[in-house]
Amino acid sequence: MTEQGTFTRDMHYLPDRITADGRDGWPLEPGRYRLVIARACPWANRAAIVRRLLGLEDVLSMGMCGPTHDERSWTFDLDPGGRDPVLGIERLQQAFFARDPHYPRGVTVPAIVDVPSGKVVTNDFRQITLDLSLEWRAHHRAGAPELYPEPLRAEIDDVAEKVFRDVNNGVYRAGFAGSQAAYEHAYRDVFGRLDWLSQRLAGQRYLVGDTITEADIRLFTTLVRFDAVYHGHFKCNRQKLTEMPVLWAYARDLFQTPGFGDTIDFAQIKKHYYVVHRTLNPSGVVPLGPDLSGWLTPHGREDLGGRPFGDGTPPGPPPDNERVPSVG
C-alpha cells in the first residue's frame, strides 16, 4: 500500500522454469511435478484451465487447497486428514520452506512443486501457463489447441497486459484501496477497460484472432468472479457483468466451453473472498447470491463465427476427482 492508499501487488515470484531442455535445472519429466491450485483463486484458475485444455492431467498432477487460508499459507484442508496425498504436507508453505527455509514473500497459488524433493519450483502465474503451452508441448493431448500461437503473440501479450493492469489487478486495486482517491482511480480504470473490451468483442468472438487464446483465459477468470465477488465485495459496482451485454454473452460462451466452466466452483470463490478478507467483511458472512442459472443460457456468440479450438478438439471430461459442482 502506498502513502496515497494505492494497493500495490508484490510481483516478485520464484522465477525458475520447468523446460524441455532443463536449462533452469528443472527438466520436464511426466509425473515429477505437481501443480497446486485453489479453486477460489483467479490466478490459479488460469493454470487449471490451460492444463485441462491441453490435456496434461496424466503428466502433471494437481493438488487443491481449500478456499480459505491464514496469514501463513494456503492449506490442504479439502484432503483427508488435511494433508496433500502426493506431497504429504498440510500447508503449501512447507514446499516453499523446503526450497528456502527463510522464504520472505507470500505463499501463493498457483505453484508447481517438485514431488521428489518437495521443493516449490515456481509460483510465477504469468509464466506457468505460457510454459504449459510451449515447454510441455510434447505431452499435449492429440487435438490440443494453440493457446499462444507464434504469429499472434505480440497482440496477445499487449491485450493481456492491458487486461491485467486494469481488470485482473484493477478490481483488487479498487477493493483494497486505502483512500477515496485511489479507489476512484482504480474504479475508473476497471470500467474504462471493460468498455474497451466490450467494443473489441462486439464484432469478434475472441480477443485475438478467431480462436481461444491465452488472452481469453486471463480475462475469463476475472469476469466469472465479477458478480459473485468484485461487484459488491470490491465495490466495482457501476454495473454487474449481467448488465454488460457483450461481456456477459462472451463470458457465458467461454463458461459453456469445455475446460472453462467445469473448473469453476462458485461456493469456494465466495467463501475465500468473504471469509478471508475480514478487513472488508468483518462478519465473515458469505452471501447466498447471485443466481447462477444464467450462466447456462444461450449466448448467441456463434453468430460471430470463430473456432473455439482452431484445428483442435475440445478436451474430454475432467477426472472424477477434479469435478466441481454444476451450476445447472
Side-chain angles (χ1 to χ4, degrees):
M1 190 76 68
T2 68
E3 292 182 1
Q4 291 74 37
T6 301
F7 168 76
T8 304
R9 182 176 298 279
D10 182 358
M11 294 295 289
H12 294 87
Y13 299 98
L14 293 170
D16 288 7
R17 297 170 59 191
I18 299 165
T19 59
D21 62 6
R23 57 186 178 273
D24 277 9
W26 304 103
L28 199 161
E29 298 174 13
R32 175 173 173 177
Y33 303 100
R34 186 161 176 81
L35 172 66
V36 178
I37 70 160
R39 294 283 189 202
C41 174
W43 321 104
N45 196 174
R46 299 177 178 186
I49 291 171
V50 170
R51 175 178 172 271
R52 280 272 292 123
L53 295 180
L54 300 179
L56 292 170
E57 292 94 338
D58 291 338
V59 297
L60 177 64
S61 69
M62 187 165 74
M64 285 178 273
C65 299
T68 63
H69 61 75
D70 57 23
E71 68 280 357
R72 291 171 56 196
S73 175
W74 293 89
T75 55
F76 294 98
D77 47 286
L78 300 177
D79 292 306
R83 188 180 297 272
D84 181 87
V86 172
L87 300 174
I89 57 177
E90 298 174 343
R91 291 177 171 272
L92 182 56
Q93 184 185 53
Q94 293 169 260
F96 282 77
F97 284 171
R99 167 74 180 265
D100 178 359
H102 305 289
Y103 182 73
R105 299 186 181 277
V107 174
T108 63
V109 289
I112 298 184
V113 179
D114 176 49
V115 176
S117 69
K119 298 177 180 179
V120 66
V121 177
T122 181
N123 62 335
D124 187 347
F125 67 87
R126 300 160 299 183
Q127 190 63 45
I128 284 173
T129 52
L130 299 182
D131 283 344
L132 292 180
S133 281
L134 302 179
E135 298 293 334
W136 294 68
R137 186 182 299 273
H139 301 285
H140 291 180
R141 65 178 175 87
E146 288 275 354
L147 301 177
Y148 195 50
E150 197 279 333
L152 299 178
R153 285 178 196 169
E155 187 176 1
I156 291 171
D157 290 346
D158 178 64
V159 171
E161 176 54 33
K162 290 180 171 70
V163 167
F164 171 78
R165 183 185 66 234
D166 298 331
V167 181
N168 300 146
N169 197 49
V171 294
Y172 283 84
R173 290 193 292 113
F176 290 120
S179 70
Q180 187 69 31
Y183 161 71
E184 292 183 9
H185 182 76
Y187 174 100
R188 293 189 181 98
D189 285 346
V190 169
F191 285 100
R193 186 59 62 191
L194 291 178
D195 289 343
W196 180 84
L197 289 163
S198 291
Q199 292 174 5
R200 185 181 183 94
L201 289 165
Q204 62 189 63
R205 191 170 180 184
Y206 303 112
L207 281 173
V208 181
D210 67 349
T211 65
I212 291 167
T213 68
E214 178 82 16
D216 298 293
I217 296 165
R218 295 188 179 200
L219 177 58
F220 172 77
T221 59
T222 296
L223 293 183
V224 78
R225 289 161 172 77
F226 201 88
D227 287 4
V229 176
Y230 304 140
H231 177 270
H233 189 58
F234 279 178
K235 307 182 187 69
C236 295
N237 61 353
R238 190 191 78 179
Q239 291 163 287
K240 296 177 182 177
L241 176 66
T242 55
E243 297 166 344
M244 294 180 270
V246 171
L247 290 179
W248 175 222
Y250 166 80
R252 297 199 321 275
D253 186 5
L254 290 177
F255 186 88
Q256 295 170 30
T257 299
F260 284 83
D262 54 30
T263 70
I264 303 300
D265 189 318
F266 284 105
Q268 289 197 31
I269 288 169
K270 290 192 297 183
K271 186 173 182 180
H272 169 69
Y273 285 93
Y274 286 99
V275 172
V276 171
H277 299 161
R278 290 302 179 100
T279 57
L280 302 183
N281 186 43
S283 69
V285 172
V286 179
L288 293 177
D291 179 10
L292 301 176
S293 60
W295 283 102
L296 300 180
T297 59
H299 50 75
R301 297 281 294 178
E302 307 96 334
D303 295 343
L304 294 172
R307 303 173 300 144
F309 300 100
D311 295 328
T313 58
D320 289 343
N321 65 343
E322 295 181 11
R323 293 182 182 273
V324 298
S326 171
V327 302

